[in-house]
Structure formats: structure tokens, C-alpha cells
Amino acid sequence: MQSFDTAAPPANTPPDPPVRAIDYLARLPLDEEQRRTLACETADLGPEQGFEHIHRVLANRGDTPAADGLCSVQPRLRRHWAQRHQRGDAGLELALQEDVHGHSRLVTMPPLARASMTPVPWNTNVLGRWVKALRTRWFGQRGRLASRHPDSKDQPDQPEREVHWLAASRLRRLFLVSLVLGQTWLASYFMTAILPYHGNHWLEMIILAIYAVLFAWVGTGFWTALMGFWVLVRGRDRFSISATAAPDLLIPVGARTGILVPICNEDVGRVFAGIRATYDSLARTGSLDRFAFFILSDSSEADTRVAELEAWLQLCREVNGFGHIFYRRRTNRIRRKSGNVADWCRRWGSLYRYMIVLDADSVMSGACLKRLVQLMEANPKAGIIQTAPRAAGRETLYARIQQMATRVYGPLFTAGLHYWQLGESHYWGHNAILRVAPFMRHCALGKISGSGPLAGEILSHDFVEAALMRAKGWSVWIAYDLPGSFEEMPPSLLDELKRDRRWCQGNLQNFQLFTAQGLHPAHRAVFMTGVMAYLSAPLWFLFLVLSTALLAINVLAEPVYFHEPNQLFPLWPQWHPEWAIRLFGATATLLFLPKLLAALLLLIRPAELRGFGGPLRMLVSVFLETAFSALLAPIRMLFHTKFVAGALLGWKLVWKSPPRGDTETGWGEALSKHGGGTAVGVVWAAGVYWLQPDFLWWLAPVVGSLMLAIPLSVWSSRVSLGRRFRQARLFLIPEESMPPRELRWLWTAVKKQKPLPGFREAVVDPVVHALVSAHGIPRPRRPQALIEQRQQLLDRALHEGPASLSEASRNIVLGDPLLLSQLHRRVWTANAAHPDWRAPCGPA
């Protein structure tokens, strides 16, 4: 048996290992008899002729030219899957087809059904709208003020102001505002009495203003958790969306739902394991024919592209999912996730009544998916129903603490949000169902005008989409009591902070839409809370810095007894430490009482308590989590302050997908990220100690945690510590001790997953090459200049190996079946091919 290329290497260089025809035939999906026959037939042929003969025989094309092997793409895939799965290829008939030019195509999406989804420019000019309104009233112009979207033909049948829950929502919010303002006034009064000059000094006035804002923010969270506790203790809310549909409500044939999974350079094995678990769970409900899965990829890494395509085909073959599971990779990746979803809406959205959007780490039970559709059918005025995902699946200590915290305290806050918001709730962008028609008409996102750092494409799209949906009369609900929705937490503090930076910039950007025309006041408040979630950090930091400055003034400067002209009596500086302790206790109560109420709620529910390791371990876990969160609070404060400053100053933001595995933080990374904060803590503590040592005790929780940031960040990211605490049954959650079926399927699949092919396999392996080639579109007619450029790229790839190619070059090769096939042929037939191409490849 001779080599494909018999040219001898130069005498002064060691010869490469021979690339024989038998090596290529061994990778082809053939039985032994076919392999021996082809080996004999190519024994006396040259390298090019032998390669062409093999593909001509596979394609059964007689004397048809087959130089690059594109004619045998379909037979290679069919033979491969017939061998691997020991069954026929009836399912592949839906995916492997020939186009009008006779090329084999891997059809991964249904036929197009184009529809319009066009954004309208934002109108945030309040003064201009007032002038127009006055002109309309005074001069009798016809018509009303234009809404953001003039098309209103998909309005609900009746105005939402006539819906029964609106009156209750107004009363509840009035009650909330009264509580928050009342306690803020009281706390500010006591704070005035505590300050040395009782708020008459200019610095004290600033401190009082900041303190009032922060106390109101803390108080809002406290009353939200308190009302959530009340709802959960009662066991119901008469306005709960989950109680509006019977469990046996039939889903009509026309109520089709698209399940969208936008991904971008994710862990492919983990993503498809989650989709498989969700798909299998949905199949058990008997409602699979009402749903279709769409994997919408924005991946730019060549290895990930190949792996995604292979994983999609494997999944479809294993569950017979052709026609139910679709895959698409965008070539024009604009507007990130929101643009990906909008692109699906324009192409296929008109075929579906609802869509359920998942994240790459999401898993949902079939019962939950079916229930969401039932609730939508029972509530024709509902535009969005958001579930409350439960975090599970991580093993680092940091992630396990956060999983426990969200599992214990999260139900209080989500039930409380539902209590105040009702049908004007949050939308978090995933694990939610949306009504497609109004979403397409009203939720196209236009750019924010201007040239500042917060202008341009909208980053955090979810709050804006919910606001636009509600502005047109469609309600937005939180199904706080609906089980079966899961997600994963960031594995470490630094990974969480990277995510927070993206969210911070998006929320600050969204606040520019606070004055946009037509938005409901409830969602203007949502924009405000989104900003305060991050603006509170620099406010706390400023409060502490100003308090330190006030201390320095009192210590270093001469006291001022007469602050106003013609003041008759002096104002003596006074300090009341007992009042300060009381105020500190009141603030701590607002912060930590919700945690105690959450623990109490579990203690009165013994059946659920078993999933947390029992009452004693649950209480110990809550105590440890409280101490850990108190240590991390100043670290987060400093980072969030930097994020807000960076967003306002226009610092460059790299928007990448978060890690989906249990990544650990190294000492070098921790030092580079936390070193500045540690230095701030040391200098701050030294300065306060120099000014007044007694005051350092008040500041110790802040500066102490800053100085401990590096070891805290490193140790909390360790998987080994997380597993030790799990063995001690601490930070345990029911999803770990009694995992639902979907999570068990997911974790089993992740453990058993095998390596997926990448770019090199797409070039070298005959089966993977066939798969990638079938997914592309051959374009033989190209400009001569482009042909020459790609020929140069091919020569460089062949002689310098895969490592010499950038991601852009690799993507060019993968996107051009003709170029890919030429490289595939030359790697196997040219002796000058780089040795890296000939290194052993993993199985397809």
C-alpha cells in the first residue's frame, strides 16, 4: 500500500511520517470489506487520484470529478450515523437535503416566515412633549400625542386600568412609600441628633442627604422581604398569576411555543446537556408537539462552532429531535443576546404564539414549561410571565454559599416584589415566557441617541422590554411560586464582579430612558431601582469618606460655635454614642431581620427543612452566610464604585459570556484585582487610627474586609472547601440533597460527556469535515482578488499548521466549504503539510 504522496523529502531533513491511504480509509465510516476494496483500488494510484477515487466511489458518481470530496458529504454522514447508532437514517432525511445547485446541505432551521420588527427612536424630551401637548390643547390640533409605537392593533381587549388588580397595586405601593418615607424621616431625625453640629455644618448636610437616600433604599428592601414573608406564611396571594389556570388546561394546537437558547462561546457540553434534560422532561409531559427548541449561536471561536454543530446533530439523533430542535449560528452578530432574539423573531417569530427564553446555564422542567403556556392561555392580557429560577450545580465554596442564600432568602424577596408590583413586575431576560406578537410590535430596541459613554446599543435589554410591553397595556408578572426553573451561580467573587460590571453599565444606561414617552410609572421605578442597585455603592463609599473627613475636621480644626450671622448663642459640638448605637442597631435590623424571617419560615415547614440539612445545620449555615456577606459587602462596595465611575467615564467594557464551570481564583489574579482595595483599607485604617483610635472600631468592619479581600477571594473559590462543607451538610440546599429529575439528568450527562471535535478535526477528520461542509454554502463565483487571498490563506495554513491561524482566519475557512475541502484534501495528499495536521485527532 503506497503513500498518498510519494515525493521524497530533502536529504538533509528527517522525513515526515508517511500519510498512507489506509490512514484516511480508517477514518471513513466503512465496513471492513469496503475498506479493503478501496485500499486495493487505490494502491497503484497517485495521491490526488487516490483521494478523488475514494470520494467518487462513496458518492456513487462514476466518472464525475470529486477532487475536493464535496460530492461525498452526504454519504459520509449517513454511513457514520448508521454505524454509530445501529439504526436507519430516517431522521436525517429532514436535515440532509440537496439545494437547487445539487449541493448537500445540512438544514438546521425551519423555512423562513419573515415578519417586521422595527424600532422607533426614543423620545426622552419631556419639555418638548409638554410644549406639543399645550399646543394641541390651545390650537385644537387633531389627534392625540403619539405613543412610542403608533401601531396599537394588538392592544388587549380592555384597558388594563379596568383590571381588578390595578386598584390593589396602587394601594399597596402607596402603603410601601408611606412606610419607607416615614422610617427614613425618623432615622434622619436621629442621625441629626447624633452629628456633632446637628446638621448645621455644610459637611453634615451632605452626610444627612446621602444617609437619607441610603436608608430609604435599605428600607425598601426590608419591607419587600417583610411582605414576602407575609405572603408565604399565608400560603397565597389572591392576585397570584400561578392560580389563574387549572392544571389540566389543554394547550390548543395553535399555541406553539419556541424555546430559545441564545449562546456565545459557551461550554458546549454543558449547554447541550441542559437542553437535553429540558427536552426529555418536556417529552414526559406529552406536550412536546407544542414546543420547538432553537439554539441561537453567536459563537466566534472556531473550535466552539464545530463542537456546537456536532453536539446539535448528536442530540437530534439521540432523541429523534429533527424538526423539534434547531440550530443557527448568526454571521452578523449585532446587539448581542437581544439582537439574537430579535433576529429569530423577524425570521420565525410569526410561526409561534409564545417564546420562552433560556440562558446557556438554564434548565427547566417540562411541567414548568407547560404550566407557563397554560398561564398565558388563561391570561390573554399577560405579555410576560417571569419565573423565579433556583440556583444549583456549583461546587466552589463561594457558589455554594450564594446558592444557599438565594434558596433561603430569595423566595421572600420575589414574593415581596410580586406583592408590590403585581402585573407590572420585573423581567430578568431568561427563564420566562413572552407573547411573541406584542413583543415583535413594541419591543424592538432602538439605539440611545448621543455620543456619551452610555449612548448606543442597549446592553441590559430585559428591563426595557418589560417596560415597553407594559406601556402598551400588556401585563408583566412574576410567578414567584412556580417550581421547576433552575440556573447556575458564578463560581467565584471575581466572576460575579465581572458580571456585575456588565449589569452596572446596562442599568446606568437604561436610566436615560426614565423620561421616555409612554412608559408606565411602575417601570420608571424599576429603572430607578436598577440604578440604585449599583449607585448605592458609591453613595455608601462617599458616606464613609465624608464621615472620616468630618472626624478629621473635628479633631484637627478649631471648633466653630457660631455658624450664622448675628447668632446669639453658641452651638456646642455634642456626641451621643448611645444614640449612634441605637441607630446602628436599627439599620442592622433592617439588613438582617429578613434573613431571620427566612430561617423562621423554614423552621415552620419541617418537610422543606430536611433539604437544608435539618434545623441546626440550616441555622449554622445562615449565621455563617451572614458573616461572609458582611465581609464581602465592603469589597463589593469598592468594586461597584469603580464600575459606576468607569461607566460614566467611558472605560472600555468587554462583554464576554460568564464561566460555566467551577473556575478557581489564583493568588496572582486575586492580587491584581484586590491589591488596590487592600492598599486603600490599610491607608484608611492607619489614617483613622492616627486621628482618633476609638473611631477605628466603628470603621473596622469596612477596612478589615478590604484588607482580607485577597485571601477571601482565593479561598472562597476553592472547590475542595465547598465539598468539605457539603460533607458537613452545611450550605446545603434541597436541589443538592434531593435533586429533581432534570438536574440529575444534567449532572450525569456532564460527567459522561466526551470531547467534542474542533477546528483541526473539521479540517482533518472526514466525518467532521463532511458535517461542517454540509452546514455551509459553496460559493464558486467570487472576485478574483478574494480567491487569491483565500489561496494564500490556504497555503499558510497548510505549511505553518493550525496554530498559525487567527480566529478570524479559522472562521473564514469554516465558512467556505470549498476552501475547507481544498485544505482537507491537501492535508491528506501533500507531503509538505505541517506535522500538526497529522497529529492524532480525537474521535468524531
Side-chain angles (χ1 to χ4, degrees), residues 307-604:
E308 286 174 358
L309 196 58
E310 173 71 16
W312 170 80
L313 194 55
Q314 284 186 13
L315 176 61
C316 289
R317 286 289 300 168
E318 290 170 0
V319 302
N320 194 22
F322 293 105
H324 293 285
I325 305 175
F326 301 99
Y327 169 81
R328 177 174 185 257
R329 178 186 173 273
R330 285 200 304 170
T331 54
N332 188 16
R333 301 182 297 277
I334 60 172
R335 300 184 182 180
R336 302 181 179 87
K337 179 179 176 180
S338 63
N340 208 349
V341 173
D343 192 67
W344 177 87
C345 289
R346 293 187 185 96
R347 293 169 180 264
W348 297 280
S350 60
L351 301 175
Y352 296 88
R353 185 178 298 178
Y354 310 115
M355 64 178 178
I356 295 175
V357 182
L358 305 182
D359 257 2
D361 60 353
S362 297
V363 175
M364 295 185 73
S365 68
C368 183
L369 295 171
K370 181 179 178 181
R371 187 64 180 157
L372 286 174
V373 177
Q374 290 175 332
L375 294 177
M376 275 292 198
E377 287 293 300
N379 296 273
K381 300 176 184 179
I384 303 175
I385 300 178
Q386 171 71 62
T387 66
R390 295 176 177 176
R394 289 278 187 257
E395 291 195 282
T396 64
L397 177 60
Y398 181 86
R400 296 198 67 252
I401 294 175
Q402 300 307 311
Q403 287 172 177
M404 190 279 298
T406 58
R407 188 64 173 84
V408 175
Y409 318 137
L412 265 69
F413 286 96
T414 51
L417 282 175
H418 172 270
Y419 183 85
W420 301 124
Q421 296 176 334
L422 295 182
E424 293 155 347
S425 292
H426 284 72
Y427 165 50
W428 297 315
H430 61 92
N431 292 40
I433 187 170
L434 300 90
R435 198 176 297 270
V436 175
F439 182 86
M440 292 177 61
R441 288 194 178 99
H442 306 307
C443 296
L445 302 181
K447 292 183 178 181
I448 297 178
S449 60
S451 58
L454 300 180
E457 302 289 352
I458 292 177
L459 301 178
S460 294
H461 57 94
D462 37 18
F463 284 11
V464 181
E465 290 163 349
L468 294 177
M469 189 76 82
R470 181 67 191 121
K472 280 300 179 177
W474 299 91
S475 56
V476 181
W477 294 88
I478 295 180
Y480 67 93
D481 53 352
L482 187 63
S485 179
F486 308 100
E487 63 176 353
E488 293 178 348
M489 298 294 294
S492 67
L493 173 61
L494 288 181
D495 288 318
E496 181 187 85
L497 291 172
K498 293 173 186 176
R499 182 193 66 179
D500 284 350
R501 185 183 178 188
R502 300 191 303 269
W503 288 359
C504 173
Q505 181 151 342
N507 285 336
L508 291 177
Q509 183 191 54
N510 289 349
F511 188 67
Q512 296 183 95
L513 306 178
F514 184 81
T515 59
Q517 183 177 7
L519 298 187
H520 193 279
H523 279 97
R524 298 189 198 274
V526 169
F527 287 163
M528 177 67 75
T529 59
V531 171
M532 277 302 299
Y534 295 96
L535 191 60
S536 60
L539 288 178
W540 276 116
F541 184 70
L542 183 60
F543 176 80
L544 294 172
V545 169
L546 292 179
S547 299
T548 306
L550 184 62
L551 172 67
I553 291 175
N554 291 330
V555 171
L556 302 177
E558 291 291 334
V560 178
Y561 302 105
F562 295 91
H563 291 268
E564 298 179 3
N566 304 319
Q567 183 176 331
L568 296 178
F569 301 99
L571 183 63
W572 304 102
Q574 300 179 27
W575 171 248
H576 298 281
E578 69 280 3
W579 289 9
I581 293 174
R582 293 171 188 169
L583 190 59
F584 176 79
T587 306
T589 300
L590 296 184
L591 290 171
F592 299 116
L593 184 59
K595 297 176 182 285
L596 298 178
L597 293 177
L600 177 61
L601 189 65
L602 291 176
L603 290 174
I604 62 179

Side-chain angles (χ1 to χ4, degrees), residues 159-365:
E160 285 283 5
R161 62 177 177 271
E162 298 178 9
V163 181
H164 61 289
W165 55 264
L166 274 177
S169 68
R170 294 193 185 100
L171 288 176
R172 292 180 178 186
R173 293 167 196 165
L174 180 62
F175 181 50
L176 171 64
V177 171
S178 301
L179 290 172
V180 172
L181 292 180
Q183 71 176 15
T184 301
W185 178 85
L186 188 62
S188 300
Y189 172 78
F190 279 102
M191 187 66 178
T192 304
I194 290 172
L195 293 172
Y197 294 102
H198 308 305
N200 290 302
H201 190 278
W202 66 270
L203 192 56
E204 292 182 349
M205 294 179 186
I206 299 175
I207 291 174
L208 275 174
I210 296 174
Y211 179 79
V213 173
L214 292 173
F215 197 89
W217 173 245
V218 172
T220 302
F222 169 78
W223 291 111
T224 298
L226 193 65
M227 296 316 300
F229 176 77
W230 169 249
V231 169
L232 295 177
V233 165
R234 294 180 63 200
R236 65 181 182 87
D237 185 328
R238 63 193 181 98
F239 299 112
S240 172
I241 190 70
S242 302
T244 57
D248 57 349
L249 179 67
L250 295 178
I251 300 177
V253 176
R256 301 184 65 201
T257 301
I259 300 177
L260 277 54
V261 189
I263 56 177
C264 180
N265 298 322
E266 303 284 354
D267 181 343
V268 178
R270 165 59 184 85
V271 169
F272 280 83
I275 296 172
R276 171 69 185 271
T278 303
Y279 183 92
D280 287 343
S281 181
L282 185 59
R284 290 173 65 93
T285 67
S287 302
L288 190 59
D289 58 331
R290 303 292 193 272
F291 295 83
F293 287 73
F294 291 86
I295 304 159
L296 307 176
S297 173
D298 271 350
S299 297
S300 58
E301 297 173 358
D303 288 336
T304 304
R305 287 181 56 181
V306 178
E308 286 174 358
L309 196 58
E310 173 71 16
W312 170 80
L313 194 55
Q314 284 186 13
L315 176 61
C316 289
R317 286 289 300 168
E318 290 170 0
V319 302
N320 194 22
F322 293 105
H324 293 285
I325 305 175
F326 301 99
Y327 169 81
R328 177 174 185 257
R329 178 186 173 273
R330 285 200 304 170
T331 54
N332 188 16
R333 301 182 297 277
I334 60 172
R335 300 184 182 180
R336 302 181 179 87
K337 179 179 176 180
S338 63
N340 208 349
V341 173
D343 192 67
W344 177 87
C345 289
R346 293 187 185 96
R347 293 169 180 264
W348 297 280
S350 60
L351 301 175
Y352 296 88
R353 185 178 298 178
Y354 310 115
M355 64 178 178
I356 295 175
V357 182
L358 305 182
D359 257 2
D361 60 353
S362 297
V363 175
M364 295 185 73
S365 68

Side-chain angles (χ1 to χ4, degrees), residues 759-760 796-798 800-806 810 834-837:
F759 172 74
R760 193 168 68 92
R796 186 175 82 248
L798 180 69
E800 299 179 14
S804 67
L805 300 180
S806 64
R810 293 182 176 209
H834 194 276
D836 285 354
W837 291 118

